[in-house]
Amino acid sequence: MALVQRIPSFSSNLRNWKSTNSTNHKPVSSLHYKTQITASSSSPFTEKHSVERYQRDQWLYKASTPSPSPPPPSPNQQDEVFVRENDIASQLPELKKLLEVLREKRESGCRGGDCGPGDVFLVGTGPGDPELLTLKAVRVIQSADLLLYDRLVSNDVLELVAPDARLLYVGKTAGYHSRTQEEIHELLLSFAEAGATVVRLKGGDPLVFGRGGEEMDFLQQQGIRVQVIPGITAASGIAAELGIPLTHRGVATSVRFLTGHSRKGGTDPLFVAENAADPDTTLVVYMGLGTLPSLAQKLMDHGLPCDTPAVAVERGTTPLQRNVFAELKDFATEIQAAGLVSPTLIIIGKVVELSPLWPHCTKESSCLVESR
């Protein structure tokens, strides 16, 4: 078994751009790798009904209640629909008021009565670690009037927002969309037309399974200028965190990004297994927890060796990161036993055993490590 080291927990205070010293590492020898989690640990991201979300977006609820609180856990989908619709209705008065303020500000600053719309920035915030942000992303985030942010934008990144800017949560989870994609489009358009500088914050990279292309296309058709600020996609950031090269001479000649989502919301992934079972290709599966058992079986049925190394990474690059390493034949079972939750990234391929964290010490893996 290979030695595994705990990744240090970084406390981020990026307003002052100070780096912190890492904690002492303790070696662990285990198939299931995780950081130390205490009872007080909370998600590094914005969960749908978290206290942090309502505190951050408190300005939206002034017309209804001065101190909004998360609703109680919902037992069924009908209750979730009610919560969503009630939440939107509560926010509308303040959204309309902000639009009026922005329009008045735009008109008062116009010369000759001809003012163009504001700009929209699609900004990728990386996989979770705020220190992976680009300098351009930080500058744009700090200059925004309004920021629409997803669930997988880390809380530390949101601390960079200017005090007078407004934040609006538009995140989505399985079974609960705080805003539909069409509603997000209309919000971006309305505030851009009012002259605001609007930032659309997305985890990872906005154009890699982030629906950024749809938003860009919609806004450009309406005459709105859109600028894309790329982010480090989860595949690159998490693979680097684990010491996994996505391509490697003599081991993997290509890498393929796959979505684990099914268009019909079932347990079968999109139909990619037939042409994805290439032992010389690294597969990276986004949003694949629900469909992994089916995908893994299909990959093996189409010729991918059952002992192909694989890793699943929950909340990658954050202090709460957890990893599960296993061979493909045992992969789904090990993930279920570990109880991994979304967001989890999956990497399948021979390059996984190049990671110093890979626990299966074999002659082949030793040779692969020496060839780097």
Side-chain angles (χ1 to χ4, degrees):
M1 301 289 283
L3 282 180
V4 181
Q5 290 188 324
R6 300 186 187 278
I7 296 175
S9 299
F10 293 104
S11 63
S12 298
N13 184 0
L14 292 187
R15 292 187 185 278
N16 299 320
W17 287 91
K18 294 180 179 178
S19 60
T20 60
N21 295 323
S22 62
T23 58
N24 294 328
H25 303 324
K26 294 182 179 180
V28 179
S29 181
S30 174
L31 181 68
H32 294 174
Y33 154 83
K34 60 184 178 180
T35 57
Q36 188 167 359
I37 301 176
T38 64
S40 61
S41 296
S42 60
S43 172
F45 304 111
T46 303
E47 303 303 335
K48 59 182 179 181
H49 299 315
S50 65
V51 173
E52 291 84 2
R53 172 198 164 185
Y54 287 93
Q55 289 175 339
R56 189 178 293 125
D57 299 355
Q58 189 171 8
W59 68 276
L60 283 164
Y61 301 93
K62 291 180 180 178
S64 55
T65 172
S67 300
S69 57
S74 174
N76 58 57
Q77 189 173 1
Q78 287 185 340
D79 286 346
E80 290 284 23
V81 171
F82 173 78
V83 168
R84 190 191 93 89
E85 292 178 351
N86 185 64
D87 204 31
I88 291 175
S90 300
Q91 295 174 0
L92 278 177
E94 291 303 318
L95 286 172
K96 291 179 180 178
K97 188 182 299 184
L98 179 59
L99 273 174
E100 292 173 3
V101 170
L102 290 169
R103 289 191 184 109
E104 291 175 0
K105 179 180 176 181
R106 176 189 176 207
E107 291 171 1
S108 64
C110 283
R111 295 181 178 178
D114 184 18
C115 289
D119 291 333
V120 174
F121 294 87
L122 305 182
V123 178
T125 63
D129 182 353
E131 293 185 338
L132 294 178
L133 275 175
T134 65
L135 293 174
K136 190 171 186 179
V138 173
R139 177 177 60 79
V140 170
I141 288 171
Q142 292 178 333
S143 64
D145 297 313
L146 176 71
L147 300 97
L148 279 65
Y149 65 102
D150 280 346
R151 175 199 169 207
L152 298 184
V153 177
S154 75
N155 294 319
D156 286 333
V157 169
L158 294 172
E159 291 179 4
L160 295 169
V161 175
D164 57 344
R166 293 289 183 263
L167 283 157
L168 173 60
Y169 178 73
V170 293
K172 301 172 185 175
T173 56
Y176 182 83
H177 292 183
S178 63
R179 289 289 195 282
T180 66
Q181 192 61 43
E182 291 73 22
E183 288 168 342
I184 294 172
H185 289 173
E186 293 300 330
L187 283 166
L188 292 170
L189 177 62
S190 296
F191 282 95
E193 287 180 335
T197 298
V198 185
V199 168
R200 178 75 171 96
L201 288 178
K202 295 175 174 287
D205 183 273
L207 302 184
V208 179
F209 298 127
R211 304 192 74 168
E214 298 173 39
E215 294 168 3
M216 181 168 56
D217 181 57
F218 171 80
L219 292 167
Q220 287 175 341
Q221 289 186 29
Q222 311 302 318
I224 304 298
R225 188 172 70 162
V226 181
Q227 298 184 52
V228 179
I229 313 298
I232 294 177
T233 189
S236 297
I238 292 172
E241 188 82 9
L242 299 182
I244 297 174
L246 293 176
T247 61
H248 190 81
R249 186 164 59 94
V251 181
T253 57
S254 63
V255 59
R256 185 168 184 176
F257 296 171
L258 308 175
T259 173
H261 273 180
S262 168
R263 287 194 182 95
K264 297 181 180 180
T267 58
D268 263 352
L270 298 181
F271 299 101
V272 297
E274 292 84 351
N275 53 17
D278 176 8
D280 295 325
T281 296
T282 303
L283 301 179
V284 182
V285 186
Y286 291 71
M287 304 168 289
L289 272 182
T291 58
L292 176 66
S294 176
L295 175 62
Q297 188 59 53
K298 285 185 176 182
L299 289 171
M300 290 186 286
D301 290 345
H302 287 89
L304 197 63
C306 62
D307 62 351
T308 300
V311 62
V313 187
E314 174 194 284
R315 296 169 173 172
T317 77
T318 75
L320 299 186
Q321 175 175 317
R322 293 199 300 157
N323 306 331
V324 172
F325 289 87
E327 294 178 342
L328 188 58
K329 65 180 182 296
D330 304 317
F331 196 33
T333 302
E334 294 290 350
I335 289 175
Q336 184 177 14
L340 297 191
V341 299
S342 173
T344 291
L345 186 82
I346 294 164
I347 304 176
I348 302 171
K350 292 183 289 186
V351 293
V352 171
E353 63 181 349
L354 295 177
S355 169
L357 307 179
W358 174 249
H360 296 272
C361 294
T362 65
K363 181 179 179 181
E364 181 182 2
S365 66
S366 298
C367 292
L368 291 174
V369 171
E370 290 171 3
S371 69
R372 286 189 294 174

